[in-house]
Amino acid sequence: MKLRAIMLLALTTLLGACASSPTVNVDSDPAVNFAKYRSYTWLARPQVSNPLFQQRIMNGVDEQLQAAGWRKSDAGEVTVVAHVATAQKQSISTFYDSGPYAGWGWRAMPAPGMGSATTVVDTYQTGTLVVDLFDTASKKAIWRGTAEATIPDKPDQATTLLDASLNKMFAGFPPGSIAKTK
């Protein structure tokens, strides 16, 4: 029973660590001179179920673009669009608490009378934040940033994850500039 509790604690800690490290990718049009842009506008609010989180996304992107010297304007040279996609995922782990096959992750069935197995199914949410920038005049895409991670259950942890994702996403923004230090 003790081994099972230790293994469950280890698994929970491992999954919690995954939630704190977003996978971020950035792409941009190499032919675009970002130095010519000085203003931006939002096309629409990101569609998320929590209006507070929607505002946090917009404020976070605003902070990043303003830190790059851009200003928000109704007639911006760049149009910002942000999307959030979520998915429910599961991980399955089996633990054996006695017998010669005891241990985490062993998948073969032990012989009768040689211990018991516990299978744990962990359901969690993953999310991807996509931020696209378009040249307003030509409507061509000029930059895209994505951040994917496990979504924490607690709002303060989700906000911390969002901040880390945006900091990482905009670290070298605008393209061709020296990376910001925060």
Side-chain angles (χ1 to χ4, degrees), residues 37-107:
Y37 300 117
R38 287 287 171 231
S39 63
Y40 69 96
T41 189
W42 281 88
L43 179 64
R45 294 179 169 275
Q47 297 300 308
V48 294
S49 60
N50 181 340
L52 293 172
F53 206 70
Q54 176 187 69
Q55 194 58 47
R56 288 180 187 121
I57 292 169
M58 293 181 73
N59 289 343
V61 172
D62 286 345
E63 287 174 14
Q64 295 292 334
L65 292 174
Q66 290 167 12
W70 293 16
R71 65 179 167 67
K72 193 173 179 178
S73 168
D74 289 338
E77 301 159 314
V78 171
T79 300
V80 180
V81 179
H83 306 280
V84 177
T86 60
Q88 194 173 66
K89 294 188 177 183
Q90 293 182 329
S91 65
I92 300 171
S93 298
T94 301
F95 305 94
Y96 295 94
D97 60 3
S98 64
Y101 302 109
W104 175 66
W106 180 259
R107 300 287 184 220

Side-chain angles (χ1 to χ4, degrees), residues 163-179:
D163 293 342
S165 298
L166 290 173
N167 286 338
K168 202 171 174 183
M169 188 183 294
F170 284 90
F173 189 86
S177 69
I178 297 173

Side-chain angles (χ1 to χ4, degrees), residues 144-159:
R144 170 174 268 199
T146 63
E148 183 178 356
T150 300
I151 302 172
D153 292 330
K154 296 180 180 178
D156 60 330
Q157 292 173 342
T159 300

